[in-house]
Amino acid sequence: MEGVDHLADERNKAEFNVDDMKIIWAGSRHAFDVSNRISRFVATDPVFEKSNRALMTRKELFKNTLKKSVYAWKIIKELRLSDEEGIKLRIFMDQPGFLDLHWGMFVPAIKGQGTEEQQQKWLSLANKMQIIGCYAQTELGHGSNVQGLETTATFDPKTDQFIMHSPTQTSSKWWPGGLGKVSTHAVVYARLITNGKDHGVHGFIVQLRSLDDHSPLPGITIGDIGMKFGNGAYNSMDNGFLMFNQFRIPRDQMLMRLSKVTREGKYIASDVPRQLVYGTMVSVRQTIVSKASDALARAVCIATRYSAVRRQFGSENGGIETQVIDYKTQQNRLFPLLASAYAFRFVGEWLKWLYTDVTQRLEASDFVTLPEAHACTAGLKSMTTSATSDGIEECRKLCGGHGYLWCSGLPELFAVYVPACTYEGDNVVLQLQVARFLMKTVSQLGSGKAPAGTTAYMGRAQHLLQCRSGVQKAEDWLNPSMVLEAFESRALRMAITCAKNLSKFENQEQGFSELLADLVEAAIAHCQLIVVSKFIAKIEGEIEGKGVKKQLKNLCYIYALHLLHKHLGDFLSTNSVTPEQASLASHQLRSLYSQVRPNAVALVDAFDYTDHYLGSVLGRYDGNVYPKLFEEALKDPLNDSVVPDGYHEYIRPLIKQNFPSAKL
Ligand SMILES: CCCCCCCCCCCCCCCC(=O)SCCNC(=O)CCNC(=O)[C@H](O)C(C)(C)COP(=O)(O)OP(=O)(O)OC[C@H]1O[C@@H](n2cnc3c(N)ncnc32)[C@H](O)[C@@H]1OP(=O)(O)O
Ligand SMILES: Cc1cc2nc3c(=O)[nH]c(=O)nc-3n(C[C@H](O)[C@H](O)[C@H](O)COP(=O)(O)OP(=O)(O)OC[C@H]3O[C@@H](n4cnc5c(N)ncnc54)[C@H](O)[C@@H]3O)c2cc1C
């Protein structure tokens, strides 16, 4: 029934103040106010309608993205929205497009790698969107191996220009978002060559298209790489290809904050680490972690509300059937995902802090924490996006058959989200970066250099290698130090085992190659420890609001104990817990599920998502699922007529067994 809250009983059961939890989820009252206001604004503006996306052709979808993006920009300008409000507007618009790459990568690359003069010149244009930019790094032949890029930028001292060239087919840029049809400019990563010497990969600002008629400049071949996974979904983005044929740019378009080429063609490397050329990726990986919590929370919100609406079995004497959310199996699949959404939120907040800190240090030429920032952003990007992709798919299954309907919102969410496991660094490749960092840290233990930051626990190696978990009863698994010790000892023991196995090889690189799978697992164990420890730090801090802390504690221990259960092999084989302690953890998990159950719907209400943003009939705030499923079905063009097109051509001849032209 319209106007009735079918989930009212669920909401009445909540044992905490949802409005207070909304503030915790958003990060602050101010952040909540901004999100709340902008999401409602987007939801009520017809230009941002998105329910018809799956039925659009690629061209219609692309044009619709242009329309929405330009309208969003107009609103940002006319209403003088702040940067924070502008980002929220793009998030709630919920349609990938060139704006993401312009603001998310092109502008940050110039800010991070351009000199002050370059910033003044290019950012003044980019900030007004008088030029539109993208980030052109990946090539047909190389994405992960950035040092293997083939595009060249050769300095020509006669003309004071760089000649940009794609020497092979595999050197074609391939994938950059916004490149295919929209961008006028790109930050292009290419091998810098001066006086015949290759100085490795550097960034260059390159104009691609005319600012008058948008045609590609002479010497540039450019286009879209074609359809991607799913209907609608990421196909709104014009991921592109690009080839240079001896294309010339002025010398001052090399991004020269980190290293320079003089008028004479002399290469001058500054004394900052060369890895700063990868700085934009570090910054985006950090934002991807917060976005993981957002995407997982959307899926969990849909699955939780629907699980409370959906009933199957259990009716006695014609009475009401059981809500599927009451099945322990449903809880065992759903509540760890709910807990993960909160866990990723808090680790995302912490990572933002870490990133801000490292940025300030870099400005003061302090590079000490750069390896840690790289390892944390790479590892957490990898871990959270993998868990979120799997989690969205699990939420689809939690919704049974209806989850497979496009109008459940879950298929499109999955299709849009899943490339996050690949872009901004393949998730396995990124965990191997963490593994290298861990192996280096382990090799330095005992050298007098105490590990710091997220590896500080390794400084207590002597204790962690010998200790036995003190858990004796199920409630002990609610003791933060016991939980942390189990995770620390598992992570450390896995890393040390890898290091020992590595040391058996004469050639370290060969050993590393042999042990890749174990190294990835050790890296994941380290990343899970970071997430657990940041969640524990959160619940040990000050948290306001009636009943809020209790709920967060429950979620924190669900997060930790479900990981323990899932990776039990690691915990047992490293002797970090005994089989008896593991079974006490399962017992405690069941008890935590029962405590979360009455609060589940309120815990997803705390995300404060509008029905527009969720885009799901199953996840509607009012739970009015069945009539709306019918409404959606009737909107399908196949239902425009009762007798379908093709009846006379195919169905009728078939059932009349009358195939005029058939030669069987
Ligand atoms: C809606 C609104 C939302 C707003 C929000 C916007 C978001 C925006 C939208 C996103 C939408 C998607 C857009 C996708 C955009 C792409 O996908 S862009 C392309 C991304 N590409 C990648 O991520 C490539 C992945 N590969 C790499 O990063 C590197 O090549 C690798 C794997 C790290 C290896 O690099 P390498 O130079 O061969 O390094 P390696 O020899 O392994 O290491 C050398 C040293 O450098 C260090 N190092 C390596 N990398 C780094 C680094 N980054 N920093 C510091 N040190 C490093 C290593 O630790 C190592 O240190 P030491 O051991 O020597 O001390
Ligand atoms: C939707 C989308 C948007 C993108 N947007 C952009 C963009 O805007 N700009 C841009 O420049 N790029 C962009 N990319 C490209 C993206 O960054 C790369 O695809 C990504 O970095 C992975 O590189 P790859 O494709 O070369 O994968 P590959 O490295 O070829 O990976 C293939 C397989 O090999 C494995 N593998 C590779 N190396 C190793 C190793 N050393 N050890 C063990 N296993 C390994 C991987 O785990 C993977 O399973 C985008 C990609 C996608 C899908």
Side-chain angles (χ1 to χ4, degrees):
M1 269 178 298
E2 208 70 52
V4 173
D5 182 359
H6 296 257
L7 289 167
D9 284 351
E10 288 294 330
R11 296 191 163 107
N12 290 335
K13 284 183 204 162
E15 298 157 328
F16 69 100
N17 184 321
V18 181
D19 289 337
D20 291 329
M21 187 67 93
K22 285 180 180 170
I23 310 289
I24 299 285
W25 174 261
S28 67
R29 164 146 317 264
H30 168 78
F32 168 76
D33 287 341
V34 172
S35 269
N36 182 273
R37 184 162 37 82
I38 301 286
S39 63
R40 267 98 196 136
F41 175 85
V42 172
T44 49
D45 191 319
V47 175
F48 294 121
E49 173 64 45
K50 59 181 188 177
S51 60
N52 47 356
R53 245 179 345 209
L55 296 173
M56 288 181 181
T57 63
R58 177 87 202 282
K59 281 186 172 176
E60 286 166 348
L61 181 63
F62 173 70
K63 204 161 165 196
N64 179 264
T65 310
L66 292 181
K67 179 179 167 185
K68 283 181 179 162
S69 306
V70 173
Y71 182 66
W73 176 243
K74 189 169 160 268
I75 290 170
I76 290 169
K77 287 281 99 185
E78 285 181 3
L79 301 184
R80 293 169 190 261
L81 300 189
S82 65
D83 287 353
E84 185 187 8
E85 290 168 327
I87 290 174
K88 291 288 177 196
L89 184 67
R90 287 194 283 123
I91 290 174
F92 292 121
M93 183 175 106
D94 192 33
Q95 193 151 310
F98 65 93
L99 288 181
D100 301 344
L101 278 299
H102 177 84
W103 292 108
M105 296 204 78
F106 179 70
V107 168
I110 297 173
K111 273 190 190 155
Q113 290 158 45
T115 60
E116 275 186 24
E117 303 87 84
Q118 288 176 320
Q119 293 192 34
Q120 261 176 18
K121 174 173 174 184
W122 295 103
L123 293 182
S124 62
L125 295 167
N127 286 338
K128 288 187 234 133
M129 296 218 69
Q130 288 170 332
I131 59 172
I132 304 167
C134 65
Y135 185 88
Q137 182 177 294
T138 306
E139 297 174 355
L140 193 55
H142 293 96
S144 298
N145 180 5
V146 179
Q147 291 199 47
L149 296 180
E150 297 176 83
T151 305
T152 49
T154 308
F155 183 63
D156 177 3
K158 285 197 229 85
T159 56
D160 198 21
Q161 289 172 320
F162 288 106
I163 307 166
M164 308 297 295
H165 190 60
S166 313
T168 57
Q169 187 172 54
T170 47
S171 70
S172 314
K173 293 293 171 191
W174 190 274
W175 269 117
L179 170 70
K181 293 289 153 188
V182 182
S183 294
T184 61
H185 288 67
V187 168
V188 174
Y189 287 83
R191 318 195 70 78
L192 168 66
I193 296 172
T194 61
N195 297 317
K197 183 159 188 262
D198 185 336
H199 300 281
V201 172
H202 289 71
F204 300 82
I205 301 178
V206 183
Q207 182 171 353
L208 307 169
R209 292 183 163 99
S210 154
L211 292 177
D212 294 323
D213 64 5
H214 209 58
S215 57
L217 298 184
I220 284 183
T221 307
I222 199 165
D224 184 277
I225 60 170
M227 278 290 282
K228 291 151 296 206
F229 188 82
N231 270 9
Y234 214 82
N235 289 300
S236 54
M237 183 74 86
D238 55 325
N239 294 91
F241 63 79
L242 163 69
M243 275 164 283
F244 296 109
N245 183 6
Q246 313 283 354
F247 181 77
R248 288 173 174 267
I249 58 168
R251 179 171 55 92
D252 67 5
Q253 286 181 210
M254 168 179 157
L255 290 169
M256 294 216 204
R257 181 163 164 205
L258 309 177
S259 46
K260 294 184 176 24
V261 171
T262 64
R263 175 66 191 87
E264 297 72 38
K266 189 163 171 236
Y267 178 73
I268 304 176
S270 67
D271 47 8
V272 302
R274 73 163 179 87
Q275 287 83 6
L276 289 182
V277 78
Y278 299 153
T280 313
M281 293 189 279
V282 176
S283 120
V284 177
R285 285 172 195 153
Q286 171 252 310
T287 63
I288 286 177
V289 174
S290 300
K291 290 187 76 185
S293 76
D294 186 34
L296 185 55
R298 277 172 80 169
V300 166
C301 182
I302 294 167
T304 303
R305 286 182 182 159
Y306 179 67
S307 295
V309 168
R310 185 69 166 175
R311 292 173 182 272
Q312 295 273 356
F313 300 103
S315 133
E316 279 170 22
N317 308 324
I320 197 156
E321 288 178 289
T322 304
Q323 291 167 283
V324 298
I325 198 170
D326 284 327
Y327 292 114
K328 292 288 171 194
T329 42
Q330 193 84 351
Q331 296 176 5
N332 188 37
R333 292 156 69 203
L334 180 60
F335 293 168
L337 296 175
L338 173 62
S340 302
Y342 276 92
F344 298 168
R345 195 69 170 182
F346 301 139
V347 82
E349 274 175 10
W350 168 79
L351 197 60
K352 192 169 174 190
W353 168 84
L354 182 83
Y355 180 73
T356 311
D357 180 67
V358 76
T359 312
Q360 285 164 356
R361 285 169 186 268
L362 294 179
E363 276 160 16
S365 298
D366 169 1
F367 306 111
V368 178
T369 57
L370 182 61
E372 152 111 335
H374 165 51
C376 288
T377 46
L380 292 172
K381 179 275 180 187
S382 170
M383 199 212 105
T384 57
T385 55
S386 290
T388 297
S389 301
D390 294 349
I392 296 170
E393 170 60 3
E394 188 63 19
C395 285
R396 182 188 69 74
K397 293 183 202 147
L398 282 161
C399 295
H402 301 335
Y404 189 64
L405 281 170
W406 196 84
C407 70
S408 75
L410 293 166
E412 193 185 37
L413 183 58
F414 181 74
V416 168
Y417 192 77
V418 77
C421 296
T422 306
Y423 62 54
E424 223 43 71
D426 167 84
N427 279 355
V428 169
V429 170
L430 292 186
Q431 287 301 1
L432 290 171
Q433 289 288 306
V434 180
R436 278 194 191 276
F437 172 71
L438 293 179
M439 291 305 101
K440 206 167 181 176
T441 310
V442 170
S443 72
Q444 288 167 350
L445 291 177
S447 68
K449 189 180 170 215
T454 51
T455 51
Y457 70 100
M458 292 188 163
R460 289 181 283 111
Q462 265 193 333
H463 167 72
L464 289 173
L465 286 174
Q466 287 163 9
C467 66
R468 292 278 169 268
S469 170
V471 167
Q472 290 177 344
K473 52 188 189 311
E475 296 77 58
D476 288 341
W477 280 121
L478 303 180
N479 178 332
S481 51
M482 291 202 182
V483 171
L484 268 182
E485 192 177 76
F487 275 81
E488 286 176 347
S489 112
R490 166 215 184 200
L492 182 78
R493 292 174 192 192
M494 287 174 78
I496 292 211
T497 303
C498 282
K500 278 190 184 149
N501 290 337
L502 260 182
S503 69
K504 293 177 191 155
F505 289 83
E506 262 177 43
N507 178 327
Q508 287 293 288
E509 279 310 307
Q510 193 199 343
F512 201 86
S513 298
E514 278 298 317
L515 299 174
L516 284 183
D518 295 352
L519 286 159
V520 166
E521 283 179 15
I524 291 173
H526 172 73
C527 292
Q528 289 175 344
L529 164 62
I530 298 177
V531 183
V532 168
S533 68
K534 297 307 163 196
F535 206 158
I536 288 179
K538 182 82 188 177
I539 59 172
E540 292 195 324
E542 223 174 89
I543 292 175
E544 288 179 7
K546 180 185 153 266
V548 169
K549 194 168 199 160
K550 172 84 180 83
Q551 295 307 316
L552 291 179
K553 277 188 174 177
N554 288 343
L555 292 172
C556 176
Y557 293 113
I558 287 179
Y559 181 71
L561 297 184
H562 107 276
L563 283 181
L564 192 149
H565 187 69
K566 190 170 164 193
H567 298 274
L568 198 51
D570 290 355
F571 283 92
L572 290 176
S573 66
T574 54
N575 290 321
S576 303
V577 302
T578 62
E580 293 72 31
Q581 289 168 330
S583 99
L584 290 173
S586 298
H587 182 75
Q588 185 53 251
L589 254 184
R590 282 195 299 277
S591 153
L592 288 166
Y593 292 156
S594 303
Q595 293 175 56
V596 163
R597 165 62 189 96
N599 297 288
V601 168
L603 282 167
V604 300
D605 284 349
F607 303 147
D608 196 42
Y609 291 150
T610 60
D611 281 346
H612 171 273
Y613 185 55
L614 281 181
S616 168
V617 171
L618 305 187
R620 292 170 59 88
Y621 182 85
D622 65 6
N624 189 21
V625 169
Y626 296 124
K628 295 292 170 186
L629 277 175
F630 254 105
E631 269 180 36
E632 284 302 317
L634 293 176
K635 282 187 207 159
D636 195 283
L638 268 187
N639 288 322
D640 286 352
S641 61
V642 280
V643 176
D645 278 358
Y647 167 73
H648 290 286
E649 211 175 340
Y650 301 110
I651 303 177
R652 191 179 158 79
L654 176 68
I655 57 186
K656 298 290 179 199
Q657 295 294 300
N658 168 19
F659 309 103
S661 58
K663 288 192 189 114
L664 297 175

